[in-house]
Amino acid sequence: MSINRKELTEITNLAKLDLNTQQTEEVCQSLNQITALVERIKKADTAQVEPMFHPCDFWMPLRLDEVTEDSHKAQLLALAAHADGDFYLVPKVIE
Amino acid sequence: MINLSLRELQQCLHKKQISVAELASVYLDRCHQYNPILNALVHIDADIKPDYLLAAQVSQGPLAGIPIIHKDLFSTQGVTTTAGSKMLANYVPPFNATVVSQLNQAGMVQLAKANMDEFAMGSSNEYSAFGAVKNPWDLQRVPGGSSGGSAAAVAARLAPVATASDTGGSIRQPAALCGVTGIKPSYGRVSRYGMVAFASSLDQGGVMAVSADDCALVLTAMMGHDAKDSTSIAADKWTWQAPEDASMKGLKVGVIPDWLEQLEDQDIKQSTLAALDTLVAQGAELVDVDLPHADLAVAAYYILAPAEASANLARFDGIRFGQQSDGKSDDVNDMYRKNRSAGFGAEVQRRIMLGTWALSSGYYDDYYCRAQRIRRLISEDFKQAFSQVDVMAVPVSPEVAFKHGTKSDGVSMYQADQFTIPASLAGLPCLSMPIQPARNLPVGLQLIGPYFNEQVILTTAAKYQLVTDYHQHMPEAFL
């Protein structure tokens, strides 16, 4: 399996990253070294094996669905580069 | 003073041979003196906060007044928390990570924040946006990663103890390369609330200190269920009692002959064999075990961890917090791309792209799901091994600390995680303890325990440290 430049462009679109032409070449090469490494997983017969998505393969604690946190609205908004009143400012999303 | 154990420091405080403020000043002065050489810290408190002194007075526990450094991915209220990334260079959390709150409550005195590979992705600490950390044993060499700042800080005694985190070896490998003791508890033992996420099904907070006894004292104050983290498990907490004698009679220690054979560095191999001989001399019985699927662990990990990272790091868009690029954006997607490309370093971007690829349509079943199945096979291998032994003793790293800039491609660095990743995938508790050095550089031995049994690895390490003094060795330049 290898990743070509067209697929890398799709990946960067999905991941919301920009690469220039030189970076695209370098990243393509480097990702293909890694995909060659991960190909090894195909050596094992896993057809009858259940995926293990998590080490806690058992019951996990539940909690009531209720608000337990204090509001940190002012402190959180203060972390934004651009905010106005109770709102974050972003470029126009809808035409 | 800097050579004392936590228990000895506590005795000094209790007998009023030194005050909490004086003890903190000893270490704070060392932070200011040595950090310009090591770059192990990204933030040093200007002075000791009165809140910590008060908490140390109120707490009667064994950690009251003991100084600590936190890895800079643990959120610290009012103190910048960068996770080693330009993306979070100005991020000041309005809350504490649960681990930080617990240790504050225990009366520990926070001195500084430790440098790290960006978002905990790296094994050399060369991927920090704030510069590489230097290994106190040889400044030309890396300290390991991603908790290299924590490891270098403890090795140079900038603090007696530091928090750290481990996803695929980020506590054990730097602990080994810097000659300190470091424990990654079982997944679920310690709350991840407030710990900047890399790969959520693998990340686990832990501790680095000089000895296993010191690590155990701090870990017992950190562990337990936290309502804010549903993956922290409500298991019985254990209490720590340091072993009174060094006997390991009746202890079955699993060794993996294949892994020993894979050690190409003959000095590391000799050190490892000598450590195993010591365990036998202490009464332990060595039993050969096998993990037949472990050779697939690195490949599975470098699908699973980037996949989880690509999802976790999607939150960094530069809108609510984090880096916002100076360039004007035409639309919101353009802004996301500019912010993320400017804020993330090359290695983080590479792993996000790798993870996005593994999760994308057409590859999900072939790579991501298959890697999760490999994870099950490795976990079953460990269960089989622990039906025969109480604890496993294996190498940590196939190499001693390497020189800065000598590993330019990611793959060679990834492959060096071969001995630490299997236990991470299975969520098992594991630690690294210093053994006989190789060519005057530290070497570690990894102890792995059954799930939720940190006591067996801590007790084994503490007993080994009763008959050896490798854990007390210090780099001469920092004596």
Side-chain angles (χ1 to χ4, degrees):
Chain A
M1 174 63 215
S2 65
I3 298 171
N4 60 35
R5 272 182 284 176
K6 186 173 169 238
E7 285 171 315
L8 183 58
T9 305
E10 287 166 21
I11 291 167
T12 53
N13 281 338
L14 286 168
K16 302 278 185 277
L17 292 168
D18 271 338
L19 295 177
N20 61 33
T21 312
Q22 191 195 336
Q23 287 171 322
T24 301
E25 287 299 326
E26 288 167 5
V27 170
C28 230
Q29 196 181 355
S30 140
L31 285 183
N32 283 325
Q33 284 177 344
I34 303 168
T35 56
L37 169 78
V38 302
E39 281 294 315
R40 254 191 248 164
I41 62 165
K42 293 190 173 167
K43 285 201 308 194
D45 179 6
T46 57
Q48 304 302 317
V49 182
E50 275 295 302
M52 181 176 154
F53 290 104
H54 209 270
C56 302
D57 238 6
F58 46 85
W59 179 87
M60 289 163 74
L62 302 174
R63 63 171 172 78
L64 293 175
D65 185 13
E66 59 188 15
V67 176
T68 56
E69 293 290 294
D70 299 330
S71 170
H72 294 294
K73 188 166 73 177
Q75 292 137 297
L76 294 173
L77 277 166
L79 295 170
H82 303 293
D84 183 9
D86 284 354
F87 299 97
Y88 295 111
L89 295 184
V90 296
K92 199 174 189 178
V93 178
I94 302 167
E95 293 299 328
Chain B
M1 188 59 66
I2 58 162
N3 290 318
L4 299 181
S5 68
L6 294 198
R7 289 179 195 273
E8 289 165 337
L9 288 174
Q10 187 50 242
Q11 280 292 311
C12 290
L13 290 167
H14 186 68
K15 290 178 181 167
K16 301 199 186 305
Q17 290 166 337
I18 191 168
S19 72
V20 171
E22 286 166 344
L23 178 61
S25 290
V26 168
Y27 285 104
L28 205 53
D29 290 348
R30 292 181 66 82
C31 290
H32 286 294
Q33 182 181 355
Y34 292 119
N35 196 51
I37 301 168
L38 293 170
N39 197 33
L41 309 172
V42 290
H43 165 89
I44 305 172
D45 279 3
D47 43 37
I48 302 144
K49 292 192 172 70
D51 287 358
Y52 296 134
L53 301 180
L54 186 64
Q57 272 181 348
V58 171
S59 172
Q60 297 296 307
L63 301 176
I66 303 292
I68 188 166
I69 288 170
H70 290 300
K71 184 175 181 179
D72 203 29
L73 56 46
F74 289 98
S75 297
T76 41
Q77 187 170 7
V79 177
T80 309
T81 298
T82 68
S85 181
K86 200 162 76 169
M87 180 64 88
L88 291 175
N90 300 312
Y91 174 61
V92 182
F95 66 98
N96 276 326
T98 296
V99 161
V100 172
S101 298
Q102 286 167 313
L103 297 178
N104 285 351
Q105 206 170 354
M108 298 198 84
V109 179
Q110 179 186 310
L111 301 179
K113 302 291 294 287
N115 202 349
M116 56 182 281
D117 281 302
E118 183 176 7
F119 286 104
M121 298 178 196
S123 308
S124 67
N125 233 295
E126 295 171 295
Y127 296 143
S128 167
F130 305 103
V133 178
K134 292 174 181 168
N135 190 318
W137 291 91
D138 179 345
L139 299 177
Q140 293 184 352
R141 293 176 189 270
V142 303
S146 67
S147 307
S150 300
V154 173
R157 306 295 190 268
L158 307 189
V161 60
T163 53
S165 71
D166 192 312
T167 304
S170 282
I171 290 178
R172 289 158 285 162
Q173 186 254 18
L177 268 47
C178 288
V180 303
T181 307
I183 180 166
K184 177 198 93 72
S186 309
Y187 181 87
R189 179 62 88 182
V190 170
S191 170
R192 292 182 298 110
Y193 177 77
M195 201 174 93
V196 178
F198 162 15
S200 298
S201 79
L202 296 158
D203 296 344
Q204 185 61 196
V207 193
M208 287 183 184
V210 173
S211 69
D213 186 42
D214 291 353
C215 284
L217 290 170
V218 180
L219 180 59
T220 50
M222 288 165 62
M223 63 188 189
H225 173 60
D226 174 16
K228 292 173 179 167
D229 174 9
S230 63
T231 63
S232 65
I233 307 301
D236 290 341
K237 281 190 180 185
W238 45 268
T239 52
W240 171 245
Q241 196 127 30
E244 289 175 2
D245 66 68
S247 170
M248 294 191 190
K249 200 173 173 197
L251 185 76
K252 288 186 176 176
V253 178
V255 294
I256 306 176
D258 274 359
W259 288 18
L260 293 171
E261 284 307 310
Q262 286 169 31
L263 286 173
E264 289 177 5
D265 184 322
Q266 292 306 308
D267 292 334
I268 295 181
K269 192 170 182 177
Q270 285 311 312
S271 298
T272 307
L273 292 172
L276 294 175
D277 285 346
T278 303
L279 301 184
V280 171
Q282 291 178 259
E285 178 192 351
L286 300 188
V287 178
D288 286 352
V289 292
D290 188 20
L291 301 176
H293 299 95
D295 63 333
L296 304 174
V298 171
Y301 175 88
Y302 278 100
I303 294 170
L304 299 178
E308 294 188 22
S310 72
N312 270 326
L313 271 61
R315 76 191 64 178
F316 296 101
D317 55 18
I319 295 175
R320 290 157 300 146
F321 52 85
Q323 160 97 13
Q324 187 151 97
S325 153
D326 295 333
K328 189 178 179 323
S329 301
D330 301 328
D331 60 40
V332 76
N333 276 317
D334 183 45
M335 184 190 66
Y336 289 152
R337 282 196 295 269
K338 281 187 175 139
N339 290 347
R340 288 165 63 78
S341 299
F344 292 136
E347 176 63 15
V348 171
Q349 292 193 36
R350 177 159 62 180
R351 295 205 199 191
I352 290 173
M353 288 185 270
L354 187 62
T356 304
W357 167 76
L359 291 174
S360 61
S361 172
Y363 302 114
Y364 180 87
D365 284 335
D366 266 0
Y367 290 92
Y368 181 72
C369 268
R370 189 185 283 263
Q372 298 287 24
R373 292 189 170 97
I374 302 280
R375 186 179 194 176
R376 167 91 53 201
L377 291 173
I378 291 168
S379 180
E380 294 298 325
D381 287 349
F382 272 112
K383 281 181 190 157
Q384 176 62 29
F386 281 117
S387 69
Q388 303 166 61
V389 298
D390 303 301
V391 61
M392 291 172 67
V394 295
V396 181
S397 169
E399 57 200 352
V400 292
F402 49 90
K403 289 194 172 172
H404 286 277
T406 53
K407 288 202 177 187
S408 52
D409 71 304
V411 169
S412 64
M413 194 131 35
Y414 295 175
Q415 283 172 325
D417 298 340
Q418 64 193 95
F419 301 134
T420 52
I421 282 176
S424 298
L425 290 174
L428 301 177
C430 32
L431 65 72
S432 172
M433 62 176 184
I435 58 174
Q436 179 185 302
R439 306 184 293 281
N440 293 321
L441 290 168
V443 178
L445 182 73
Q446 181 178 198
L447 300 176
I448 306 173
Y451 192 59
F452 259 59
N453 191 344
E454 286 80 15
Q455 301 99 305
V456 70
I457 55 173
L458 285 165
T459 302
T460 306
K463 286 187 177 225
Y464 177 82
Q465 291 177 344
L466 284 175
V467 299
T468 59
D469 67 354
Y470 302 119
H471 60 293
Q472 290 168 332
H473 290 190
M474 258 194 80
E476 270 182 27
F478 300 90
L479 287 171

